[in-house]
Amino acid sequence: MKYLGIDARRPKIAVFDFTGCQGCELQLANKEETLEAFLNCVDVTCFREISSASGEGFTIAIVDGAISREDEVRRIRRIRDQAQVLVALGSCACFGGVNRLKNSFDLDRANREVYGDQPKPTLPVRAINEVVAVDMEIPGCPVSKAEVERIVQHLVWELPYRFPAYPVCLECKQHGTVCVFEMGELCLGPITRAGCDAPCPDAGQGCWGCRGPAQDPNFEEFLAAAVGKGHREEAIAERLKLFGGFRGISCVRR
Ligand code: SF4
Ligand code: SF4
Ligand code: SF4
């Protein structure tokens, strides 16, 4: 079989979901023009959204979602034991994602308020790499299907895939998009890892940083520029917090 013109060896792939919306799995399934080629390239042994296969035997585990319950901790450890390669798919898996906002709350109190006398088992949200070793992280909320396809090609070729080190601004400029930051919109593009092809600025909206930080982002300069444009530090901090990718970056100017 050929996948995008290359000889594929059909590795056994299983896709598992944890805490998240499963939108990243949907990204793998929803691009019809390449789905058949993708399925010819890999032997899918488990993929709940598109297959009734049960997950028996796999070498590559693709994991979508974060860890937020004790049973998920046990399950991800079993998957890790079995997989030769474990891939974290999407910002929930890579950073905890939007689920991580939950960690700002008193979980016992929130559980009582929401579920009354029938509290649900829950843990503070963790990224996959905070529980088990991860071989590859593909960020994005959701992931870019085009980028996942490029990565699959590299896996089949046994070539390392290099994620873009540069920020979203570069892709935005390649498109000739009018800079929304210059127009007064808050945009994390200058400090966010590219690879998504800058859909948010292209649509006239600022980047929310769903892919986490670019390599060596000049955060101080970005913060000074954003504050200089009239954005409040609280608003910047809120945006940085949304997907969990900028953890540890302080928004207080020195
Ligand atoms: S990263 Fe976004 S799209 Fe993917 S599972 Fe999490 S919330 Fe859904
Ligand atoms: S719109 Fe955002 S991503 Fe695009 S060039 Fe301006 S700051 Fe960078
Ligand atoms: S522009 Fe920013 S928020 Fe939009 S997809 Fe890219 S990284 Fe995510």
Side-chain angles (χ1 to χ4, degrees), residues 168-169 172-173 178-182 187-190 201 207:
V168 172
C169 285
C172 189
K173 292 295 182 197
V178 173
C179 178
V180 296
F181 188 77
E182 287 299 325
C187 179
L188 299 188
C207 169

Side-chain angles (χ1 to χ4, degrees), residues 70-131:
E70 197 57 51
D71 63 291
E72 290 185 328
V73 173
R74 293 192 294 272
R75 185 164 160 251
I76 192 64
R77 285 182 178 149
R78 284 198 302 274
I79 291 169
R80 176 68 274 187
D81 286 345
Q82 196 174 340
Q84 282 178 26
V85 174
L86 191 147
V87 179
L89 184 76
S91 295
C92 291
C94 295
F95 315 128
V98 288
N99 315 287
R100 206 172 192 114
L101 294 175
K102 165 179 130 168
N103 296 358
S104 308
F105 294 87
D106 176 338
L107 292 188
D108 287 336
R109 189 171 157 210
N111 219 332
R112 279 196 305 277
E113 283 188 12
V114 175
Y115 297 109
D117 59 1
Q118 296 184 316
K120 305 298 176 204
T122 189
L123 294 173
V125 166
R126 283 178 286 175
I128 302 297
N129 70 7
E130 293 176 276
V131 183

Side-chain angles (χ1 to χ4, degrees), residues 8 18 23-24 39 41 44 57 64 66 86 89 107 122-123 136 157 163 173 176 184 207 217 220 238 246 248 253:
F18 288 79
C24 288
L39 293 175
C41 172
V44 176
D64 172 5
L86 191 147
L89 184 76
L107 292 188
T122 189
L123 294 173
M136 175 182 276
W157 284 332
F163 288 91
K173 292 295 182 197
C207 169
E220 295 276 323
E238 190 176 82
F246 289 90
R253 296 172 72 196

Side-chain angles (χ1 to χ4, degrees), residues 167 190-192 213-226 246 249:
I191 54 170
T192 298
Q215 194 172 307
D216 298 326
N218 192 337
F219 186 72
E220 295 276 323
E221 281 299 318
F222 168 73
L223 188 57
F246 289 90
I249 291 183

Side-chain angles (χ1 to χ4, degrees), residues 91 140-142 168 171 187-189 192-202 205-212 239 243:
S91 295
C141 181
V168 172
E171 290 173 339
C187 179
L188 299 188
T192 298
R193 183 184 295 280
C196 56
D197 216 21
C200 303
D202 284 358
Q205 296 175 12
C207 169
W208 281 76
C210 78
R211 290 174 59 87
R239 190 170 288 224
F243 295 99

